[in-house]
Amino acid sequence: MFCIQCEQTMQAPGGKGCSFTQGMCGKSAQTSDQQDLLVATLQGLSAWALKARALNIVDADVDAFVPRTFFATLTNVNFDTQRIIGYTREAVSLREALAASCRAVDPSATVTLAQAAIEPAADLAGLAAQAEAWALDRDVFDVSEEVHGLRLLGLYGLKGAAAYMEHARVLGRVDTDIAKGFHEKMVALADPSDDIETLLALSLDIGQLNFRIMAMLDDGETAMFGHPVPTQVNVNPVAGKAILISGHDLKDLRALLEQTEGTGINVYTNGEMLPAHGYPELKRFKHLAGNYGSAWQNQQREFAAFPGPIIMTSNCLIDPNVGRYADRIYTRSIVGWPGVKHLEGEDFSAVIAQAQAMPGFAETAEAHEITVGFGRQTLLSAADAVIDLVASKQLRHVFLVGGCDGSRQERSYYADFARQVPQDCAVMTLACGKYRFNKHDFGTIGGLPRLLDVGQCNDAYSAVMLAVTLADKLGCGVNDLPLTLVLSWFEQKAIVILLTLLSLGVRDIYTGPTAPAFLNDTLMGVLADRFGMRSIGTVEQDMAAMLSA
Amino acid sequence: MRAIRRETPDVWTLDLDPAGGHYDYLPGQYALVGVDQDRHVRAYTLSSTPGVTPGLSLTVRRIENGIGSTWLTARVQPGDRLRLSAAQGRFTPEHAPGDAYLLLAAGCGITPVMSMTRWLLTHRPGTPVTVLYHARREQDVIFADEWRALQQRHPCQLTLHRLIREHGREHTQLSATLLSGLVPDIAARTVMSCGPETYMAAASALARQLGVPEARIHSETFLPKNVPAVETAPADAPRHQIVLEPWGDRAETARGGNLLAALEAQGIPMIAACRSGDCGSCKVKVLSGDYRMGAQSALSAQELADGWVLACCCSVEGDLVVSQG
């Protein structure tokens, strides 16, 4: 086993990365190894997808399958070895069919990439042996630490991009040109360069590709659910039967709302589903009762205490057995935990039946409301107001404090930071890092709320568009704005967002709580030199530096 | 595993081929090994020497009723696969620098000493190495032929004293007289000892007494911190209950038993990634009861104050009530 992709990867005297019988996330060595084999097989499939395109063959199923299945290897998504092996076999099936289509046009059609020749063994022992050949540390003795680290940066960044591509596809947004770009990046990483500049450029290209993907995703969401508007959300429960839905998939939420209408069951969002309340097409359901719980790392306690069934539509899922709710949680799409009920489609009748059989909340707690829904359109329409507030010196600086949450103690920095932001400054937030401070009352500046919840992690796109619009109107660069990005990361979506920001030329981003373990000091130094990227220090020192810059 | 060789009546060496062709380690380090189809984890010293010995090997003493040693020495067949963690441990010259070494080993503690000795003789030709090897009987001496060969090849650099108890305790018992007699310049040496706790405590105390600065005294228990104090408890050892709140699940173990092993034996869902006190994934909160902790560096001061322990390094000393969050 070797995995070093998340923020809580093992960092021990013996070395960095999770490499024995289990990862820090709980995935077994077996699952991790099969994920390595899956990734390699997908790279072979992408190679054939490119070959096919050269022969004017575009296979939409393959274009959809590769990013979707790559998403299954993202942190805290799929812990089920059998499901992963199933994906590997399906990938090979698609590959062989595509190869046959190619040879029907050109009998000599072939792909030289070694991964394209993988024939998965029939049994687990055989698969385990095959997986060893595709371990992600197989190059450590052949190349420098920097080259190895940059190859992983590209691979993990592309994994985040794949996740966003899949989210967009669910909302009916696909682009064959972006798909081609995606396949090209998969293949580039399958037999990667050993040149540092080439690898750095590749990572930034992945960032640029992801920018187009996030635009596509934003378009899909707003087309299907409308533009988010500022909305009050109750974060305390109301009496009645209940279903909890977590992850990022708003389409699943709408299906659940439609199916539970009139049943007397209340639907609660959790984690990254909180932004759902801002969308007109979702908030119109009266029984979308509120938000329950906080960020992913607290789910074992929070889900244990929830008196109804739970649906997990994407990351982050952690061991449901710890909280003893494995028999009332359902995974969707590419999510999986061994033994947990999995729903392939949007039929939630089993969940509804279970909710009816469970107690639900006995009482309505006193309501506590927070505001969400500062989506792209709302932000852009406020651009002139923001400029006026800055010009009249009522608004001095805006901090974007957001990203993934996690359990590392040092993440208290983000709570402290947000609360120490001066009264004449505002905070934009997104992703589940917001839960460190989103119940705090930040007040307003000249009518503008001091805390603006922009949405899910992918809604970083909206924050970027606001920055670009402000810069445009002011006739300056994005880096000249009174704006500082303070990003927290945990998994690969955050990594690709960072690559997107760097590829757009955004400088002086503060990252934390720790540096990615696959980027050594030299690489962090390169990112510091070229982009001004730096690690968080203390709240006092950082805030002073940010405000005087 | 490629082959297994018997060294003495109860010691075997397993020769391994690393998948992928390489395994990175320092002389004297150990690895965690998954035994019995990864159902258990035990630590064993890498008795080979990186860059010197052509292959990779583990030398294992079979302990009666020992889960790991029985499986490794009696059940594993050539061609079988073993899962090894990354190499661990600070009992290696890189972390114990010096211009001259005194290496003391009792029984199976000779395995890291042999690994380090080969390395020092190859890579530090000017550095004197004295080895004091305590064994119970002549037949218990491990690597006997290799020691003779090394002494022949490096007569000036290597001094080996085999102190075999059956030849008479008075000539072998660790004492200030013995040490200063055999190693007159001990105060200039880096002293490293490996063996049972009492042996290492005695060696370290005597070294201090004879003028070796603290910074140059090193020891490593041959039972790393996460292995239970007793592999199997004597039949009359008191047994203790562990209750997991808020579920009321019960586990139990003999006094001195390992907390992680007890919880896992009950099927309680645990994450234990490194199993040696470094990663913190197995942390558990003790609400009441007595225990002893080995490593705790993966826990913050606040966590320790709040009663968190690393289950993999925690020995149960009384009935415990614990929770996972």
Side-chain angles (χ1 to χ4, degrees):
Chain A
M1 170 175 189
F2 179 74
C3 180
I4 194 171
Q5 67 180 359
C6 81
E7 193 271 332
Q8 73 181 30
T9 196
M10 207 180 317
Q11 306 212 33
K16 296 185 181 184
C18 295
S19 65
F20 188 33
T21 57
Q22 206 172 16
M24 292 290 289
C25 60
K27 77 177 166 184
S28 68
Q30 200 183 64
T31 302
S32 182
D33 293 343
Q34 290 310 308
Q35 288 181 346
D36 290 344
L37 184 61
L38 173 60
V39 170
T41 311
L42 291 175
Q43 290 168 335
L45 180 53
S46 279
W48 272 104
L50 290 176
K51 182 73 194 175
R53 273 173 159 81
L55 299 170
N56 280 318
I57 298 169
V58 175
D59 188 325
D61 287 343
V62 169
D63 288 353
F65 182 85
V66 178
R68 173 169 204 266
T69 318
F70 197 19
F71 188 2
T73 72
L74 196 128
T75 303
N76 289 346
V77 173
N78 199 318
F79 298 77
D80 189 334
T81 305
Q82 291 307 320
R83 290 268 305 278
I84 300 297
I85 291 171
Y87 287 136
T88 300
R89 298 203 192 285
E90 203 181 337
V92 171
S93 213
L94 287 167
R95 184 191 76 202
E96 291 312 301
L98 192 53
S101 303
C102 288
R103 285 191 278 264
V105 171
D106 171 9
S108 69
T110 187
V111 158
T112 52
L113 191 67
Q115 285 90 327
I118 294 173
E119 294 296 345
D123 63 330
L124 188 52
L127 288 166
Q130 283 178 306
E132 275 163 20
W134 303 107
L136 293 180
D137 61 346
R138 63 189 185 272
D139 61 352
V140 291
F141 282 78
D142 304 323
V143 298
S144 68
E145 227 177 56
E146 291 76 28
V147 168
H148 169 71
L150 284 175
R151 287 173 173 180
L152 290 178
L153 177 63
L155 186 72
Y156 294 149
L158 190 62
K159 192 177 291 200
Y164 289 141
M165 258 180 96
E166 166 61 10
H167 287 317
R169 188 197 64 80
V170 166
L171 299 171
R173 291 293 182 274
V174 296
D175 180 307
T176 187
D177 198 54
I178 288 178
K180 177 171 181 244
F182 182 86
H183 289 305
E184 284 167 350
K185 303 292 180 271
M186 280 296 269
V187 170
L189 291 161
D191 187 14
S193 166
D194 56 9
D195 176 66
I196 288 180
E197 290 303 328
T198 306
L199 290 169
L200 206 39
L202 176 60
S203 282
L204 293 174
D205 278 349
I206 289 168
Q208 267 302 287
L209 182 71
N210 185 61
F211 185 55
R212 295 165 65 196
I213 293 169
M214 288 205 295
M216 204 167 59
L217 175 56
D218 175 271
D219 179 58
E221 282 174 333
T222 50
M224 197 173 278
F225 307 112
H227 287 276
V229 292
T231 305
Q232 297 277 84
V233 180
N234 184 4
V235 296
N236 284 334
V238 299
K241 309 279 185 186
I243 293 175
L244 185 64
I245 184 163
S246 191
H248 302 76
D249 195 329
L250 301 179
K251 186 157 177 279
D252 273 4
L253 171 57
R254 187 176 67 180
L256 178 67
L257 288 168
E258 285 166 350
Q259 293 172 40
T260 48
E261 202 160 24
T263 61
I265 297 171
N266 292 316
V267 173
Y268 295 83
T269 53
N270 166 268
E272 279 272 65
M273 280 290 197
L274 169 61
H277 294 266
Y279 287 92
E281 179 53 26
L282 298 169
K283 61 189 284 194
R284 68 179 178 83
F285 290 92
K286 296 287 169 282
H287 64 293
L288 178 61
N291 193 63
Y292 172 89
S294 55
W296 68 272
Q297 74 275 7
N298 300 321
Q299 66 184 253
Q300 286 159 337
R301 265 185 291 112
E302 292 172 352
F303 291 7
F306 186 80
I310 303 138
I311 301 165
M312 185 60 81
T313 65
S314 63
N315 56 301
C316 284
L317 171 71
I318 53 178
D319 190 352
N321 292 292
V322 171
R324 309 300 156 95
Y325 48 82
D327 61 345
R328 57 179 172 88
I329 186 167
Y330 299 76
T331 53
R332 279 281 296 122
S333 178
I334 38 61
V335 185
W337 188 281
V340 161
K341 287 186 281 286
H342 182 69
L343 303 172
E344 267 307 331
E346 289 175 353
D347 180 357
F348 295 116
S349 42
V351 187
I352 292 165
Q354 191 165 32
Q356 302 285 26
M358 289 188 68
F361 288 101
E363 291 175 358
T364 297
E366 192 181 323
H368 177 182
E369 308 220 297
I370 64 175
T371 309
V372 307
F374 293 91
R376 176 170 52 85
Q377 196 183 65
T378 303
L379 290 178
L380 293 186
S381 64
D384 289 335
V386 169
I387 290 172
D388 286 341
L389 287 171
V390 172
S392 63
K393 304 239 186 288
Q394 290 179 74
L395 176 62
R396 177 159 53 127
H397 203 93
V398 178
F399 299 94
L400 174 59
V401 184
C404 309
D405 203 4
S407 35
R408 199 179 287 277
Q409 300 232 317
E410 289 85 329
R411 291 178 184 266
S412 59
Y413 172 101
Y414 299 100
D416 295 341
F417 187 96
R419 290 163 78 122
Q420 288 183 42
V421 163
Q423 284 304 309
D424 59 353
C425 302
V427 175
M428 287 199 295
T429 188
L430 44 80
C432 56
K434 69 181 65 159
Y435 285 101
R436 291 269 165 183
F437 47 80
N438 69 345
K439 287 185 179 175
H440 180 60
D441 182 2
F442 281 76
T444 58
I445 301 177
L448 179 81
R450 271 182 78 240
L451 177 67
L452 302 162
D453 184 345
V454 178
Q456 296 175 329
C457 52
N458 43 284
D459 293 313
Y461 177 76
S462 305
V464 167
M465 295 317 289
L466 173 65
V468 165
T469 302
L470 288 172
D472 222 35
K473 287 182 184 254
L474 291 169
C476 67
V478 164
N479 294 311
D480 301 316
L481 295 172
L483 169 70
T484 306
L485 273 57
V486 186
L487 298 184
S488 55
W489 81 284
F490 174 74
E491 37 78 315
Q492 299 79 58
K493 286 174 171 177
I495 292 289
V496 79
I497 286 177
L498 178 67
L499 291 178
T500 297
L501 293 167
L502 296 180
S503 76
L504 293 171
V506 179
R507 291 188 54 85
D508 303 331
I509 301 172
Y510 284 72
T511 57
T514 59
F518 49 89
L519 299 178
N520 65 8
D521 290 343
T522 303
L523 290 176
M524 289 300 281
V526 168
L527 294 174
D529 284 341
R530 299 206 191 177
F531 304 100
M533 194 180 98
R534 64 201 70 180
S535 300
I536 53 171
T538 65
V539 171
E540 292 70 27
Q541 284 174 336
D542 292 346
M543 184 116 36
M546 293 168 192
L547 288 171
S548 64
Chain B
M1 186 181 86
R2 193 168 17 92
I4 181 165
R5 301 175 265 131
R6 192 172 196 162
E7 304 270 1
T8 74
D10 63 350
V11 176
W12 280 259
T13 290
L14 284 74
D15 293 319
L16 310 174
D17 289 326
H22 60 75
Y23 181 85
D24 204 20
Y25 67 109
L26 298 171
Q29 285 192 311
Y30 65 91
L32 302 180
V33 182
V35 301
D36 192 10
Q37 270 92 47
D38 287 348
R39 275 189 210 106
H40 302 276
V41 173
R42 292 292 181 267
Y44 297 100
T45 295
L46 298 149
S47 48
S48 49
T49 302
V52 178
T53 321
L56 182 71
S57 63
L58 301 173
T59 298
V60 179
R61 182 166 80 83
R62 186 188 292 175
I63 305 168
E64 194 178 311
N65 295 325
I67 294 170
S69 58
T70 307
W71 186 79
L72 282 175
T73 58
R75 305 223 218 297
V76 175
Q77 297 299 316
D80 286 351
R81 316 183 84 80
L82 296 179
R83 192 186 297 277
L84 263 61
S85 74
Q88 298 176 9
R90 305 184 72 78
F91 197 66
T92 181
E94 184 170 302
H95 293 296
D99 300 320
Y101 283 84
L102 169 60
L103 309 177
L104 298 104
C108 220
I110 196 63
T111 46
V113 167
M114 171 52 97
S115 180
M116 288 191 287
T117 301
R118 286 194 210 99
W119 191 86
L120 288 166
L121 296 177
T122 307
H123 294 280
R124 302 267 180 86
T127 301
V129 179
T130 298
V131 176
L132 266 58
Y133 181 3
H134 284 85
R136 263 181 296 132
R137 301 163 299 178
E138 194 68 54
Q139 65 184 29
D140 295 322
V141 171
I142 312 172
F143 313 126
D145 292 338
E146 192 175 355
W147 284 119
R148 270 189 286 279
L150 288 174
Q151 280 175 296
Q152 275 175 5
R153 255 185 284 137
H154 307 271
C156 301
Q157 191 184 358
L158 174 64
T159 308
L160 170 70
H161 297 285
R162 292 154 22 120
L163 302 159
I164 296 173
R165 197 163 354 129
E166 72 179 349
H167 295 171
R169 280 190 86 93
E170 66 278 14
H171 303 300
T172 62
Q173 183 72 27
L174 262 189
S175 67
T177 318
L178 179 86
L179 281 185
S180 52
L182 294 176
V183 195
D185 66 340
I186 186 174
R189 303 258 175 164
T190 292
V191 178
M192 303 179 73
S193 62
C194 185
E197 292 277 1
T198 45
Y199 178 82
M200 296 188 305
S204 302
L206 289 168
R208 244 171 251 125
Q209 193 185 321
L210 293 169
V212 183
E214 195 62 47
R216 273 198 266 115
I217 300 175
H218 307 271
S219 64
E220 182 160 274
T221 179
F222 194 62
L223 281 180
K225 41 198 186 285
N226 64 317
V227 175
V230 286
E231 180 80 48
T232 39
D236 59 351
R239 298 197 71 82
H240 293 298
Q241 286 236 22
I242 304 156
V243 176
L244 177 72
E245 296 291 10
W247 316 108
D249 290 357
R250 276 158 207 279
E252 62 121 54
T253 185
R255 179 171 300 171
N258 181 264
L259 178 58
L260 177 64
L263 294 173
E264 286 183 329
Q266 268 317 105
I268 284 157
M270 294 289 297
I271 297 181
C274 80
R275 311 186 88 96
S276 47
D278 287 322
C279 75
S281 61
C282 67
K283 70 181 180 195
V284 152
K285 198 170 188 179
V286 175
L287 303 173
S288 70
D290 288 333
Y291 56 90
R292 264 184 313 119
M293 271 237 281
Q296 41 195 46
S297 56
L299 296 172
S300 69
Q302 185 61 53
E303 286 171 321
L304 286 169
D306 289 342
W308 290 90
V309 301
L310 300 175
C312 69
C313 297
C314 182
S315 298
V316 176
E317 299 296 328
D319 289 343
L320 294 183
V321 178
V322 303
S323 81
Q324 285 177 291

